[in-house]
Amino acid sequence: MTSSRRQFLGTAASTAFASALSLRGLDAFAAEDKIKVVGIYDLSGGLDIYGKPVVDALRFAAEEINQKGGLLGRQIDFIHYDAQSNMQLYAQFAQQAALKNKPAVVMAGITSASREVVRPVLDRYKTLYFYNNQYEGGVCDGNYFAAGVTPAQTVQKLVPHAIRKWGKKVYIVAADYNYGQIVSSWVKKYAAEAGGQTLAVEFFPLDVTNFGATISKIQAAKPDFVWSALVGGAHMSFYRQWKAANMAGKLPIASTTFAGGNEHIVLSPEECNGILICQNYLQELPGAANQDFVARFHKRYGADYPYITELAMGAYQGFMLWAEGVRRAQSIDRVKVIAALESGVVIDAPSGKVGIDPVTHHCTLDVHIAEVRDRKLNLVESFPQQPPADTAAVCDLRKNPNDAKQYTIKF
Amino acid sequence: MDLAAIFSIEVVGAIATLVLMSIGLAVVFGMMKIINLAHGEFMMLGGYVAILATNRFGVPIWLSMLVLAPLVTGLFGVLVERLLVRHLYGRMIDTMLATWGLSLALVGIATMVFGNTTVGISSPLPGFAIGRFQGSGYTLFVIAVAVAVLAGLWLLFRFTDLGLCARASMQNAAMAAALGANPGRIYTLTFGFGAALSGLGGAVLAPVSGVIPTIGASYIAKAFITVIGGGSAVITGNLAASGLFGAVSQAVTFATTPVFGEVALLVAAVLLIRLLPQGITGRFFKKSI
């Protein structure tokens, strides 16, 4: 039978249309049953060193829950978007996720800049938002939960420790955006409280790679130690150039951002041995819970997985906290889950006990000071169950449950 | 006194960095009047060759930086010239479009092959001390390479046959062809040579800033500014413009922050072009190479 071109095109089009319809039908049917969780993180660009372990940890958490039968009997569908270290994409994907996926919760943002782009969007579309890594503190928003550490928990412990160990004069180098600016103020405050003195603060945009002049200026100022709040792949050059100028080992460095992007793995040991950090989680933490977690994580992603960063653990803990809230509320409805989370949810996480503070929507966590040595983080001192005191000073969600802004703490 | 010495070395280092960033572009633009918007990507390619050869294949770092990277990038430049640029001589806007498309393609290919993570190598040189100040030994190396490149180029242009033919083709291609030079071959070799210089620059600067597929974007602006500011003479113009911009930028960086250093460089460039629209060598050192 001869088929004309018109007939052929017609048949092909109708077949394609029909199959598209039927596929969509299947998809819509399956989606009814699943709980959607959206993650928006940077998997490429200068911030990908932070984003990749976080997405891996979230996927791991979702799979773990799914294997145990799901949440409220439903499977979790983890959808993630790559924001490519681009703020515009954060805004775009936040809106897309809220309107198209209609998820039960969105976990998004690495830098504080990206968080402040995403938070108003999710507030507007009434989608629950978890921000899971360390930041400068102060966000007071009824729709927002912070599972990461804030300066009152880490900086407040590391600054006096560094001053006691090395001396009173500190020189601060920081990334030039809201996080770097605010954390520098915190370091100055805690240094003054510990009897120390800040000689100077220098800010660097995230794409600066040339630190030669700064290294000379640091030497001229003669501090006792350097505090680094540098962030991202480009700022890693500071540590390389520091060693190239023979400063590594001569002048110690303390940082709460180092190691968050696996800097201790990417850089050579000579470039970063001796740096002191303070984090909620170290892969090297002792204790059965952590060792079991690391074993399970390595089973899923391979024993040669570079390192489970503090940000990855923050994401995992945030996910577990949210899941516990859902179980308590017996629903994924946003208002019910928020009420359940405010009733005092505490979980046993690999980093220790993690509990949500109902007044601030931030977490009480263990923090640990560690020293970087030969690509490992060796535990130096632990401080259990630190409350989010900095945010508590400015935020009371019991009194103002509709609050939705970031307060900068006055110094 | 010691601080002044370290400061001067840093300034000369900044000038040398600018020279290495822009000499490849200066050769291509100065000799052939071709605007090569893929210059940053040639540097990125040189950086990746150096880093991969050292980290994955165990080639000694000096060999991979100084020999392998320019060689590979130069061959790639010859390929690009044969396939792409050759057909667009005399059509400046079209070459801009074509090389820009090439740069996008190279960034995409590099992202697919290498991933979008910053890779780097440690500086292979120890630091040195002046008084109580430490300087980076690598800065001295960058200065040495820049001096060697400029000196080598000058010797090439001044004392070799190829250099003579290249300069002649640059001045008047038809006349040079009538006198027996082969402009087509000259252009291919010049473009390849310019690409090799870009690759060398990218490889030498890799330990300083690390390499990521998008790093070309941070190089191309400064390279263009230096080349346009320098004017038509390749070596003298490049040196003069790098000297001016590097000194201004580094001095302001020392006084304030790197951000203001960048701003100062751009302000200086704007002022220069306003006062000397043909670049420095449009007015001074007119007859130099």
Side-chain angles (χ1 to χ4, degrees):
Chain A
M1 178 183 97
T2 53
S3 60
S4 71
R5 187 164 50 184
R6 190 170 296 189
Q7 271 182 321
F8 173 73
L9 284 175
T11 321
S14 46
T15 319
F17 184 60
S19 50
L21 267 183
S22 59
L23 277 176
R24 198 147 59 97
L26 272 174
D27 186 55
F29 179 70
E32 285 307 325
D33 222 14
K34 292 195 177 188
I35 299 179
K36 296 212 191 99
V37 173
V38 166
I40 311 173
Y41 289 100
D42 307 292
L43 293 172
S44 50
L47 296 170
D48 69 334
I49 50 175
Y50 302 106
K52 283 200 209 138
V54 168
V55 172
D56 288 341
L58 285 175
R59 195 182 301 123
F60 179 75
E63 285 171 0
E64 262 196 345
I65 293 183
N66 281 346
Q67 275 160 16
K68 295 202 184 117
L71 200 54
L72 303 181
R74 291 158 70 177
Q75 294 286 290
I76 296 180
D77 185 13
F78 175 58
I79 305 161
H80 67 89
Y81 295 94
D82 174 11
Q84 301 174 32
S85 308
N86 183 339
M87 293 300 130
Q88 277 175 316
L89 288 177
Y90 267 109
Q92 184 185 319
F93 288 143
Q95 188 153 348
Q96 186 176 331
L99 294 175
K100 178 176 151 197
N101 302 116
K102 296 202 177 46
V105 65
V106 172
M107 313 223 159
I110 300 278
T111 59
S112 296
S114 56
R115 179 196 69 241
E116 290 305 307
V117 161
V118 165
R119 193 169 58 85
V121 173
L122 295 178
D123 277 354
R124 197 185 321 140
Y125 295 117
K126 305 231 181 324
T127 308
L128 186 60
Y129 177 36
F130 264 73
Y131 178 69
N132 295 324
N133 39 268
Q134 63 146 306
Y135 80 111
E136 69 277 9
V139 173
C140 200
D141 187 333
N143 185 50
Y144 159 96
F145 286 87
V149 287
T150 56
Q153 293 162 319
T154 49
V155 175
Q156 199 225 2
K157 297 286 172 284
L158 187 54
V159 170
H161 183 108
I163 288 183
R164 271 196 309 271
K165 186 169 180 189
W166 291 320
K168 294 196 186 297
K169 291 185 276 187
V170 59
Y171 195 106
I172 305 176
V173 288
D176 192 7
Y177 66 111
N178 50 357
Y179 171 80
Q181 305 265 356
I182 298 178
V183 155
S184 317
S185 304
W186 282 112
V187 175
K188 278 200 276 195
K189 171 175 148 76
Y190 291 129
E193 279 176 7
Q197 182 200 1
T198 305
L199 297 175
V201 187
E202 275 203 52
F203 295 107
F204 303 93
L206 286 175
D207 56 358
V208 166
T209 53
N210 197 344
F211 295 96
T214 306
I215 293 177
S216 308
K217 282 208 266 187
I218 292 176
Q219 295 177 67
K222 283 203 261 214
D224 291 311
F225 68 100
V226 171
W227 181 281
S228 158
L230 298 173
V231 169
H235 285 178
M236 261 200 260
S237 315
F238 174 79
Y239 304 103
R240 290 201 186 97
Q241 289 166 29
W242 187 252
K243 175 187 163 274
N246 259 357
M247 294 301 294
K250 282 215 178 65
L251 194 53
I253 302 179
S255 170
T256 49
T257 52
F258 191 85
N262 280 341
E263 286 93 335
H264 59 303
I265 308 273
V266 173
L267 296 169
S268 70
E270 300 80 42
E271 282 165 340
C272 53
N273 273 350
I275 295 182
L276 278 188
I277 60 165
C278 185
Q279 291 183 163
N280 161 243
Y281 176 74
L282 314 163
Q283 186 176 300
E284 293 83 353
L285 279 178
N290 183 38
Q291 290 176 349
D292 180 55
F293 175 83
V294 173
R296 291 193 327 259
F297 197 86
H298 281 174
K299 192 153 159 256
R300 167 66 176 86
Y301 287 112
D304 57 352
Y305 194 82
Y307 193 81
I308 305 170
T309 60
E310 182 203 35
L311 284 82
M313 181 48 66
Y316 179 81
Q317 287 168 184
F319 197 100
M320 288 303 157
L321 284 167
W322 168 77
E324 182 60 28
V326 169
R327 282 190 208 109
R328 281 223 198 154
Q330 283 296 300
S331 151
I332 58 170
D333 171 66
R334 182 185 76 111
V335 176
K336 291 195 188 142
V337 173
I338 291 180
L341 290 167
E342 283 178 348
S343 70
V345 170
V346 179
I347 59 167
D348 276 311
S351 76
K353 277 207 192 321
V354 178
I356 295 185
D357 170 35
V359 175
T360 57
H361 284 191
H362 287 56
C363 284
T364 300
L365 303 137
D366 294 351
V367 295
H368 312 275
I369 295 182
E371 192 202 37
V372 179
R373 182 71 46 190
D374 299 330
R375 296 215 161 99
K376 287 201 176 322
L377 303 175
N378 296 335
L379 183 59
V380 170
E381 201 178 339
S382 291
F383 303 90
Q385 298 298 284
Q386 297 300 308
D390 44 1
T391 313
V394 292
C395 179
D396 190 341
L397 285 166
R398 284 252 164 84
K399 271 201 235 143
N400 317 315
N402 292 324
D403 211 344
K405 55 187 275 217
Q406 178 172 22
Y407 294 91
T408 44
I409 292 92
K410 300 276 182 292
F411 293 98
Chain B
M1 187 58 225
D2 299 334
L3 184 59
I6 290 279
F7 172 84
S8 329
I9 293 179
E10 289 287 335
V11 169
V12 178
I15 297 174
T17 307
L18 266 182
V19 165
L20 285 176
M21 261 195 235
S22 52
I23 190 70
L25 191 65
V27 166
V28 168
F29 183 66
M31 307 284 295
M32 298 159 68
K33 292 289 177 285
I34 285 184
I35 299 182
N36 178 18
L37 287 176
H39 167 73
E41 278 61 43
F42 286 158
M43 291 185 73
M44 182 259 295
L45 189 64
Y48 266 119
V49 167
I51 291 184
L52 284 178
T54 315
N55 286 347
R56 284 240 198 117
F57 298 110
V59 179
I61 190 170
W62 303 115
L63 191 66
S64 55
M65 260 207 291
L66 297 173
V67 173
L68 211 55
L71 203 64
V72 171
T73 322
L75 288 173
F76 184 69
V78 168
L79 201 68
V80 166
E81 201 274 344
R82 291 250 126 200
L83 293 177
L84 188 65
V85 178
R86 158 164 301 236
H87 309 282
L88 300 170
Y89 284 132
R91 293 152 62 177
M92 197 181 264
I93 305 293
D94 296 350
T95 37
M96 275 176 74
L97 189 62
T99 50
W100 186 54
L102 177 69
S103 87
L104 292 177
L106 285 175
V107 172
I109 293 173
T111 312
M112 277 200 299
V113 172
F114 301 120
N116 211 338
T117 312
T118 312
V119 291
I121 27 177
S122 311
S123 154
L125 288 170
F128 61 93
I130 297 185
R132 73 169 180 88
F133 287 98
Q134 300 285 338
S136 168
Y138 201 71
T139 312
L140 296 177
F141 173 67
V142 170
I143 297 174
V145 172
V147 168
V149 163
L150 288 179
L153 257 185
W154 183 75
L155 290 172
L156 186 75
F157 281 151
R158 185 80 170 71
F159 292 116
T160 62
D161 252 358
L162 180 61
L164 189 62
C165 294
R167 282 190 288 146
S169 306
M170 178 176 125
Q171 284 191 351
N172 191 333
M175 203 60 206
L179 289 171
N182 184 346
R185 201 165 67 92
I186 301 284
Y187 286 152
T188 308
L189 284 173
T190 312
F191 195 89
F193 189 56
L197 288 174
S198 310
L200 177 66
V204 170
L205 293 176
V208 173
S209 53
V211 185
I212 198 174
T214 48
I215 203 164
S218 55
Y219 289 142
I220 189 95
K222 283 203 209 150
F224 257 110
I225 291 171
T226 312
V227 168
I228 301 289
S232 48
V234 175
I235 299 178
T236 326
N238 200 338
L239 193 56
S242 305
L244 177 66
F245 294 147
V248 166
S249 148
Q250 199 68 3
V252 175
T253 303
F254 260 104
T256 53
T257 71
V259 186
F260 287 122
E262 296 287 305
V263 170
L265 187 152
L266 296 170
V267 167
V270 167
L271 284 175
L272 183 75
I273 287 295
R274 177 66 189 86
L275 297 172
L276 301 170
Q278 301 292 329
I280 296 179
T281 48
R283 176 86 183 278
F284 310 107
F285 309 119
K286 264 197 214 166
K287 295 279 178 31
S288 56
I289 300 175

